[in-house]
């Protein structure tokens, strides 16, 4: 008998004793205590996955942009037991008040931990206003959310658990709920040396797991190593359009992670506040921040449709058509979208009028950034 089964059966026995004692006294049915036999058990490998040994390859560690951004995010010690705990927490519906929603319900592994519906729904069924982003390479994300409102992953990970539309859990009850589930005390003991469960440890487990999701194994990365020998003509065209010429895509979606720590206004609306979501502008109140949003990484973008903070574009072709033809004038539109690409913000938007081959090439190129290693890795999958 494995240690897991032993622990589980002992907990079942404990539950049976207390249910029996309750029943002998009352006729009217009492609210049922959590039925432990209905709680799914995590199925974990006997030897934990080697999360602590996973690292970015040397070219990432040497990338000047990434070295700079990496310096911004907090240092995290990842242990195999800590990330294993995080894997269970991330995929466990017991972290929600109705035992039906986990982080993984919205952040789905096969979509690089994004959601493919524009308004994800949690326990309340009310669609969230913003598009669920993918989760990977979080070492390089000092500030989280589309409006960068939270600094540090450890300060972010408990928020969805308490959010009434996401997981709706009273954080004060979370510690005792997890303590009552037989599989958690041993997981916390393995991670922290004793079985005590508190919010800091829950956050630490989640952070260790999320920080271990590193995405650097796409066809594009293979291309860097082999001179893009396997790229199709269309993918090569798209690569030229992305990195060269007038699009300036790589000036914002830059470095090996195809992102920026700086937020920008990319001309989706003339007046974002009136359209319903001013992004950073809603926090700062500054007109120059109206519609300023996080410059998300384009890694795995082929897996994470729909696109933009509100999921307005259903596919990459729609995004490319937007950048080519439809950028809207905004008083603080980023200058990279003007004819010359320099000067003050708020200039007339350029009209690239990309050819059909350039458009489909750009879409094909963006698909080469998909990393099917992270979407399939058992180490990141649901153990339930
Ligand atoms: C109901 C859907 C839903 C659930 C459940 C959910 N999230 Fe999210 N998550 C979102 C949405 C939507 C956003 C973007 C919100 C925003 O930017 O305002 C987000 C953003 C994030 C981000 C920021 C990513 C970035 O690049 O800025 C992290 C990290 C994250 N979630 C982790 C988690 C964790 C950990 C859990 C479980 C404890 C979780 N989420 C549960 C929908 C969800
Ligand atoms: C001035 C900086 C800037 C430039 C130049 C730029 N982008 Fe963006 N991009 C952004 C920002 C900021 C967002 C998020 C905007 C939002 O959601 O409101 C974004 C979003 C995207 C998204 C959606 C990602 C997702 O996960 O939802 C794609 C795809 C994209 N850009 C591709 C491109 C391409 C292709 C080019 C070149 C034609 C380009 N970008 C040029 C700043 C820029």
């Amino acid at each position: 008998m494995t240690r897991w089964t032993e622990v589980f059966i002992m907990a079942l026995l404990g539950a049976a004793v207390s249910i029996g004692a309750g029943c002998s006294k009352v006729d009217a049915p009492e609210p049922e205590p959590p039925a432990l036999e209905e709680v799914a058990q995590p199925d974990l490998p006997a030897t934990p996955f080697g999360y602590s040994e996973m690292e970015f390859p040397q070219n990432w560690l040497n990338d000047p942009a990434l070295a700079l951004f990496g310096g911004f995010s907090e240092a995290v010690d990842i242990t195999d037991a800590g990330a294993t705990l995080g894997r269970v927490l991330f995929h466990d519906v017991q972290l929600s008040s109705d035992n039906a929603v986990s982080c993984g319900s919205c952040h789905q592994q096969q979509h690089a931990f994004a959601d493919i519906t524009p308004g994800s729904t949690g326990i309340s069924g009310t669609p969230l206003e913003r598009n669920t982003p993918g989760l990977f390479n979080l070492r390089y994300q000092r500030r989280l959310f589309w409006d960068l409102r939270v600094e540090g992953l450890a300060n972010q990970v408990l928020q969805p658990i308490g959010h009434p539309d996401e997981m709706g859990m009273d954080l004060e009850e979370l510690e005792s709920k997890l303590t009552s589930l037989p599989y958690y005390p041993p997981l916390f003991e393995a991670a922290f040396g004793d079985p005590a469960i508190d919010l800091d440890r829950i956050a630490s487990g989640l952070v260790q797991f999320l920080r271990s999701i590193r995405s650097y194994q796409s066809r594009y990365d293979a291309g860097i190593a082999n001179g893009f020998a396997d790229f199709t003509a269309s993918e090569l065209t798209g690569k030229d359009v992305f990195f060269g010429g007038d699009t300036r895509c790589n000036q914002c979606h830059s470095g090996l992670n195809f992102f920026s720590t700086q937020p920008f206004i990319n001309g989706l609306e003339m007046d974002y506040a009136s359209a319903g979501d001013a992004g950073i502008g809603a926090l700062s109140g500054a007109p120059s921040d109206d519609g300023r949003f996080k410059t998300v990484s384009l890694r795995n973008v082929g897996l994470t449709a729909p696109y933009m903070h509100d999921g307005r574009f259903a596919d990459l072709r729609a995004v490319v058509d937007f950048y080519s033809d439809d950028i809207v004038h905004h008083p603080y539109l980023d200058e990279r979208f003007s004819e010359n690409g320099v000067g003050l913000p708020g200039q007339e938007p350029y009209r690239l009028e990309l050819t059909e081959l350039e458009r489909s090439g750009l879409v094909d190129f963006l698909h080469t950034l998909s990393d099917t290693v992270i979407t399939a890795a058992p180490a990141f999958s649901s153990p339930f």
Side-chain angles (χ1 to χ4, degrees), residues 11-22:
L12 277 184
L13 287 175
V17 168
S18 56
I19 292 168

Side-chain angles (χ1 to χ4, degrees), residues 20 43 57 59 63 69 102 164 188 244 292 313 380:
D43 181 10
N59 64 326
D63 186 270
F69 300 150
S102 71
F188 279 84
R292 195 174 289 282
F313 296 127
F380 307 136

Side-chain angles (χ1 to χ4, degrees), residues 146 248-249 252-253 264 268 293 307-309 323 334 337:
W146 282 99
R248 309 184 185 109
C249 308
C252 294
H253 302 281
F264 296 106
L268 296 167
F293 284 96
Y307 302 108
M308 303 297 170
H309 65 275
Y323 276 116
D334 194 272
F337 298 119

Side-chain angles (χ1 to χ4, degrees), residues 46-330:
T47 309
F49 294 110
Y51 299 96
S52 57
E53 286 148 27
M54 299 176 188
E55 204 18 296
F56 285 104
Q58 204 55 43
N59 64 326
W60 280 69
L61 299 175
N62 294 342
D63 186 270
L66 289 182
L68 179 66
F69 300 150
F72 287 148
S73 57
E74 75 279 30
V76 171
D77 286 329
I78 298 175
T79 64
D80 296 348
T84 298
L85 167 66
R87 175 183 172 218
V88 175
L89 290 166
F90 186 85
H91 290 287
D92 194 350
V93 292
Q94 298 296 326
L95 269 68
S96 68
S97 60
D98 67 353
N99 305 333
V101 179
S102 71
C103 310
S105 307
C106 296
H107 297 284
Q108 299 160 13
Q109 184 182 19
Q110 71 270 33
H111 300 296
F113 300 95
D115 192 356
I116 51 164
T117 45
S120 303
T121 47
I123 66 151
S124 68
T126 306
L128 300 177
E129 282 172 17
R130 288 188 182 151
N131 188 10
T132 302
L135 302 177
F136 49 82
N137 299 348
L138 286 163
R139 168 183 176 173
Y140 299 112
Q141 306 279 354
R142 184 174 55 124
R143 306 197 70 100
L144 285 311
F145 290 128
W146 282 99
D147 52 13
L148 306 181
R149 66 185 178 276
V150 170
E151 183 167 341
L153 196 51
N155 298 317
Q156 188 277 343
V157 288
L158 297 177
Q159 293 197 11
I161 305 176
H163 192 293
D165 291 325
E166 296 184 41
M167 297 163 83
M169 191 65 207
D170 182 345
L171 287 180
E172 289 184 4
E173 282 174 24
L174 183 62
E175 298 167 4
S176 59
K177 184 174 182 186
L178 296 193
T179 305
S180 76
L181 294 167
Y183 48 91
Y184 275 117
L187 285 170
F188 279 84
E189 180 161 18
F192 301 108
D194 68 71
I197 298 179
D198 62 35
L199 292 178
D200 285 346
R201 288 180 169 189
I202 294 168
S204 167
L206 285 167
V207 167
Q208 292 185 51
F209 174 68
L210 290 175
R211 282 281 292 266
S212 70
I213 305 174
R214 298 179 173 88
S215 185
Y216 56 84
Q217 298 176 79
S218 63
R219 287 193 50 236
Y220 173 77
D221 298 287
I224 295 178
N226 69 13
F228 300 98
D230 302 329
F231 267 37
T232 65
S234 179
E235 289 162 355
L236 288 171
T237 300
K239 180 164 128 339
D240 288 344
V241 175
F242 189 90
F243 287 102
D246 303 327
T247 60
R248 309 184 185 109
C249 308
N250 68 323
Q251 293 185 22
C252 294
H253 302 281
S254 46
L256 281 169
N257 200 35
F258 290 83
F259 84 128
S260 170
T261 53
Q262 301 301 308
F264 296 106
I265 298 169
N266 72 342
L268 296 167
E269 300 286 348
M270 197 180 295
D271 178 346
Y272 285 76
S274 305
D277 191 346
I280 294 175
L283 304 175
S284 74
S288 56
D289 286 334
D290 174 66
R292 195 174 289 282
F293 284 96
K294 174 175 196 158
T295 310
V296 278
S297 169
L298 297 187
R299 284 203 169 255
N300 300 306
V301 79
L303 304 168
T304 65
Y307 302 108
M308 303 297 170
H309 65 275
D310 52 5
R312 68 177 61 199
F313 296 127
D315 52 37
L316 286 173
R317 177 57 190 245
V319 173
V320 167
D321 289 344
F322 157 74
Y323 276 116
S324 172
D325 310 326
D326 299 324
I327 294 176
V328 172
H329 182 70
H330 178 287

